[in-house]
């Protein structure tokens, strides 16, 4: 389960946001997200990822992590707690997040070249903050630290090999993500997508890669370098869709359930809560919604219908 705690963001990445639009949807009190999380963990959710917008912008997020860390599955297990962040504010927050019970973290970073990074994020001098955040996360023993890079032809496909080096030097898992049509500006086209096959071919010019077996619901194909130093992953929803393995559900910042990134409708869990539904009624609702999870997305097909929200407002 992914919970978006805000759709505000302090970055304006060119492939994600227009740069002019801000937050659109509301935010709920943490107590409401916590009730949703408790319910879903009781129904079998074992992994919770906090996201946004930018989750570290939300005041009280560390306390929220502490509350989530108290949850237990019906078998008595603590949920696996993760966060996806742009890392800009992470340097000071990595240790408090770890102490509160966060287990692992993913930092989004689309270039290892500071100038290119600034051009993509449209925020000056952000690179140093993000790098400091990644290093602080490692120091705080959030593990693993993953670095997600969305590749776009003409913007940053020349960063593939530098990211391979970065993974090895910094001890992080770098994951390349194929660009999906989920942006505010409608700039997506198939030709902009840098595909899994291209990434593998380019990286092999640097060092040979060996595929690592992966778990059933893992979205990334995983590879290690031939000398055992450094791991990269590739998430290829466009060229190699994995919908049949997807077990994710998402809660938006305003409390709607989305069963697919590309959902064209949402399920208003918060409205039910507001009307006083009991936990039994909420659980019935969630079961019904999850039972109707979309079979697959239709990216690149003639019948593709854009999702009802863009990525920053869903929670990536
Ligand atoms: N602000 C946080 C961050 O930067 O990680 C969390 C939200 S952000 C929307 C989550 C992830 O979605 C980021 O890694 C971002 O690069 C990715 N993303 C945004 N738009 C995308 C798109 N159209 N296709 C693929 N990934 C996208």
């Amino acid at each position: 389960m992914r919970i978006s705690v805000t759709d505000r963001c302090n970055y304006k990445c060119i492939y994600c946001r227009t740069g002019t639009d801000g937050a659109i949807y509301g935010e709920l009190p943490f107590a409401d997200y916590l009730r949703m999380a408790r319910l879903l963990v009781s129904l079998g959710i074992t992994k919770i990822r906090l996201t946004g917008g930018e989750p570290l912008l939300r005041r009280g997020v560390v306390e929220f992590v502490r509350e989530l860390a108290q949850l237990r599955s019906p078998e008595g297990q603590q949920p696996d707690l993760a966060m996806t962040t742009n890392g800009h504010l992470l340097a000071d927050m990595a240790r408090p997040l770890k102490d509160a019970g966060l287990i692992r973290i993913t930092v989004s970073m689309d270039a290892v070249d500071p100038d290119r990074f600034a051009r993509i994020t449209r925020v000056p001098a952000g690179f140093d903050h993000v790098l400091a955040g990644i290093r602080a996360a490692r120091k705080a023993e959030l593990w693993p630290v993953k670095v997600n890079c969305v590749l776009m032809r003409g913007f940053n496909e020349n960063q593939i090999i530098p990211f391979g080096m970065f993974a090895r030097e910094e001890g992080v898992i770098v994951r390349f993500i194929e660009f999906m049509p989920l942006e505010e500006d409608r700039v997506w086209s198939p030709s902009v997508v840098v595909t899994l096959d291209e990434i593998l071919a380019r990286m092999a010019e640097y060092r040979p890669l060996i595929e690592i077996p992966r778990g059933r619901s893992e979205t990334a194909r995983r590879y290690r370098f031939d000398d055992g130093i450094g791991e990269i992953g590739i998430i290829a929803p466009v060229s190699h869709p994995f919908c049949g393995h997807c077990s994710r559900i998402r809660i938006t910042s305003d409390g709607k359930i989305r069963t697919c990134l590309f959902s064209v409708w949402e399920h208003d869990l918060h409205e039910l809560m507001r009307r006083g539904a009991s936990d039994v009624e909420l659980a019935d609702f969630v079961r019904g919604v999850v039972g109707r999870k979309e079979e697959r997305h239709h990216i690149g097909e003639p019948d593709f219908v854009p999702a009802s929200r863009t990525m920053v407002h869903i929670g990536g």
Side-chain angles (χ1 to χ4, degrees), residues 5-39:
V5 295
T6 180
D7 70 338
R8 289 175 286 133
C9 192
N10 46 352
Y11 276 12
K12 291 178 275 194
C13 300
I14 37 167
Y15 61 89
C16 185
R17 303 182 52 204
T18 58
T20 49
D21 293 347
I24 297 179
Y25 300 95
E27 294 170 7
L28 303 182
F30 281 121
D32 289 356
Y33 300 130
L34 188 62
R35 183 174 175 203
M36 294 175 184
R38 184 173 294 119
L39 180 81

Side-chain angles (χ1 to χ4, degrees), residues 25-178:
Y25 300 95
E27 294 170 7
L28 303 182
F30 281 121
D32 289 356
Y33 300 130
L34 188 62
R35 183 174 175 203
M36 294 175 184
R38 184 173 294 119
L39 180 81
L40 280 141
V41 167
S42 79
L43 292 174
I45 287 289
T46 55
K47 296 184 183 178
I48 300 175
R49 178 175 294 275
L50 301 185
T51 178
E54 173 45 44
L56 295 183
L57 288 180
R58 183 82 197 258
R59 194 167 298 167
V61 73
V62 173
E63 281 313 307
F64 182 45
V65 168
R66 204 182 310 282
E67 304 265 21
L68 291 173
Q70 305 306 315
L71 298 179
R72 292 293 176 270
S73 71
E75 296 78 33
Q77 294 287 101
Q78 185 184 346
D80 179 12
L81 283 183
M83 178 182 283
T84 301
T85 169
N86 61 28
H88 193 84
L89 300 171
L90 184 58
D92 291 337
M93 292 181 78
R95 170 61 60 190
L97 286 166
K98 171 74 181 183
D99 291 346
L102 194 74
I103 296 170
R104 51 207 181 91
I105 198 144
T106 300
V107 179
S108 305
M109 191 168 122
D110 300 312
V112 288
D113 166 58
D115 291 338
R116 191 163 298 266
F117 184 84
R119 281 205 296 277
I120 293 174
T121 57
R122 294 187 279 196
V123 168
F127 182 81
D128 290 344
H129 290 279
V130 177
L131 187 58
I134 290 171
R135 290 178 174 165
R138 284 216 60 207
K139 200 161 170 215
E141 293 176 353
L142 287 163
W143 183 259
V145 176
K146 294 180 183 164
V147 172
N148 276 2
C149 165
V150 176
L151 288 172
M152 284 158 301
R153 200 174 309 288
F155 283 103
N156 60 350
E157 82 263 48
N158 67 352
Q159 298 289 290
I160 294 173
I161 292 177
F163 263 118
M165 296 173 175
F166 185 83
R168 290 161 65 83
E169 284 159 14
E170 296 288 336
V172 297
I173 300 173
V174 169
R175 302 192 314 172
F176 299 102
I177 307 179
E178 288 179 350

Side-chain angles (χ1 to χ4, degrees), residues 214-219 241-248:
R214 63 196 162 121
R216 208 182 117 70
S217 67
E218 261 186 87
T219 52
F242 43 77
C243 301
H245 294 262
C246 173
S247 59
R248 285 155 188 72

